[in-house]
Structures are given as structure tokens and as C-alpha cells.
Amino acid sequence: MSSSDIFIGETIGTAILILLGGGVCAAVTLKASKARNAGWLAIAFGWGFAVMTAVYISGPLSGAHLNPAVTLALAIKDGGWANVPTYFAAQILGAMIGATLVWLAYYGQFHAHLTDKEIVGGPGTQTTSAKAVEAQEKGAGPVLGIFSTGPEIRHTVQNLATEIIGTFVLLLAILTQGLNDAGNGLGVLGGLITALVVVSIGLSLGGPTGYAINPARDLGPRIVHALLPLPNKGGSDWSYAWVPVAGPLIGGAIAAGVYNVAFA
């Protein structure tokens, strides 16, 4: 695979991943969305199908890493580091493009949601309104969860451990079952297996932190949230942002180490 193929494939694939994954979060969250309050099951399956679609689109070009933790784990497994910066850059760019497309697709819903007094508070809103109080917190604004993840209970060690464990499961499944014949990315059957593993992680381990399990998936859209002209959007919670970056990278590295010891 050439550097240009890798960059194009990872940019397009990660953009599709975030468009569909962030899209299901927007659909479940935003006012005037027909899927509002569809729940965690819809989000888990939405992200799984997003992974499957993105893998099948980008696989022929780049091997469909779509995730810096996958790229890191494969580099540790095979010792091939030359294309790692290209993968990382394309994944972040693709994630930012995908998050921007979610905003465009739900533009009217974002406006309706973020100008609703029940959501963002304001004159005439009861101060005891749970939604308004939550929206006024300095850390995370009322739509940040569409773009990036956040913990239900803010405990750094637990939050980091949750992301490490979830990504470890994901990468061990990819390394043992998901790779193509060349071993440099996901294969056709591996795309389906990985999608189902993502659904399983979401249902089983996603509750504490929202299961980023992908640094680009969290960081790219968080940057977009900070930049977009969203009214009353609140903070981007940068104090937490390192956790869904460091946790998946650590989990991916551990999974690669376990694979090299136990399976290679």
C-alpha cells in the first residue's frame, strides 16, 4: 500500500465511521430527531454497523485501521513503523470531517436542541431543572456526547482502566480473528467480526465511559466541537480528553504484547 492510498483510505474510512457513529448519537440525543431516546442498544449497534461499513469501504486502500490503537498494535506486532504517522494523521483528519458532516446532517436539530430552555437553561427556566443544570457545567456541554465520550462517574484511574480493558478486547479480537491475509489490516470476514466485537464492547463495557476505544474517534470530533459555531454548546471537557487517547493506546499496546507472546 502506498502512502497516498493509506492516507486517502484512512481519511475516507474514518470519516464514514464517525459520520455513522456520531450520527446515531445525534439521532438518539437531539430534539426533533425521530430516533430521540432510542437508547443505548441503538447506539451500540449503530457504532457496530458504522465500523463494518467503514472497514468495507476503506479496506482495499489502507487495510482499514481507522483507529490509532489498531495502527500501534500492528506496528508492535510486525515491527513496521514507517507508515504510522500517515495513518495517525489521516485518522484524525477523517474523524474531524465525519464530525463536521454529522453537524451538517443534523443542523436544524442542533439549533433546536441548543436553543431549548429545558436543555440549556436561561430566563424563565427553573434552576432545579436537571437538564439545564447539567448543560451549564463547565466541563461538558449538552451535545458533547454526540462528538466525544465522557465518564458517568469521573474517576481517573477507573476511567482509564475501562478504556484500556475495552481496547485490549478489541485489539486481541482483531489480531487473532480479524486480519486480512497480508496481516496489515482488516479482512472481509474480519470487518464483520470486528463490528460484532464493537457491539459487544459497547453493551458490556461501554456504560462507564462511553467506550471511545479509539483515540481518533474521540479527539477529532472533540476538536470539531470546540471549533463549530454551536449556540450554548458549553465546554469540550479538555481535562478529560487525554483519557480516551491514552487508554486505547495503552490497551492496544498490551494486546499486541500478549499476542506476540501467546499467539505468534
Side-chain angles (χ1 to χ4, degrees):
M1 293 180 290
S2 67
S3 295
S4 60
D5 284 345
I6 290 171
F7 190 83
I8 293 169
E10 290 296 292
T11 299
I12 293 173
T14 312
I16 295 295
L17 170 66
I18 301 305
L19 172 60
L20 297 180
V24 72
C25 293
V28 171
T29 301
L30 295 174
K31 290 179 69 69
S33 165
K34 294 181 182 296
R36 193 180 189 206
N37 296 324
W40 191 251
L41 195 64
I43 289 174
F45 275 95
W47 274 103
F49 293 142
V51 169
M52 183 179 67
T53 305
V55 166
Y56 289 149
I57 288 172
S58 63
L61 282 175
S62 67
H65 294 192
L66 311 176
N67 181 343
V70 174
T71 301
L72 176 63
L74 289 176
I76 293 172
K77 169 181 170 288
D78 297 327
W81 294 90
N83 289 317
V84 168
T86 303
Y87 274 103
F88 280 11
Q91 289 155 359
I92 294 292
L93 176 61
M96 293 178 67
I97 293 171
T100 304
L101 292 175
V102 172
W103 170 64
L104 290 173
Y106 282 89
Y107 181 85
Q109 282 75 19
F110 272 110
H111 180 77
H113 194 84
L114 290 172
T115 55
D116 189 300
K117 289 184 178 180
E118 278 192 25
I119 304 297
V120 299
T125 306
Q126 292 184 354
T127 57
T128 56
S129 168
K131 291 182 179 179
V133 170
E134 180 181 0
Q136 291 169 9
E137 290 182 355
K138 293 181 180 180
V143 296
L144 181 59
I146 295 171
F147 294 89
S148 55
T149 63
E152 288 298 299
I153 296 175
R154 193 169 294 257
H155 187 288
T156 301
V157 174
Q158 181 203 332
N159 301 152
L160 187 64
T162 299
E163 289 294 332
I164 291 171
I165 293 166
T167 313
F168 172 83
V169 172
L170 173 65
L171 263 299
L172 200 59
I174 289 174
L175 293 173
T176 56
Q177 305 170 52
L179 296 181
N180 56 27
D181 291 339
N184 59 4
L186 289 168
V188 175
L189 181 58
L192 176 59
I193 293 171
T194 302
L196 294 175
V197 171
V198 169
V199 173
S200 177
I201 293 170
L203 295 176
S204 300
L205 300 172
T209 62
Y211 73 118
I213 59 175
N214 180 340
R217 170 265 176 276
D218 195 276
L219 180 59
R222 195 182 298 268
I223 294 171
V224 170
H225 176 271
L227 296 176
L228 281 177
L230 293 166
N232 305 311
K233 67 180 178 181
S236 301
D237 199 8
W238 288 106
S239 64
Y240 179 76
W242 69 274
V243 173
V245 171
L249 291 175
I250 295 169
I254 294 172
V258 169
Y259 177 84
N260 283 342
V261 170
F263 295 93

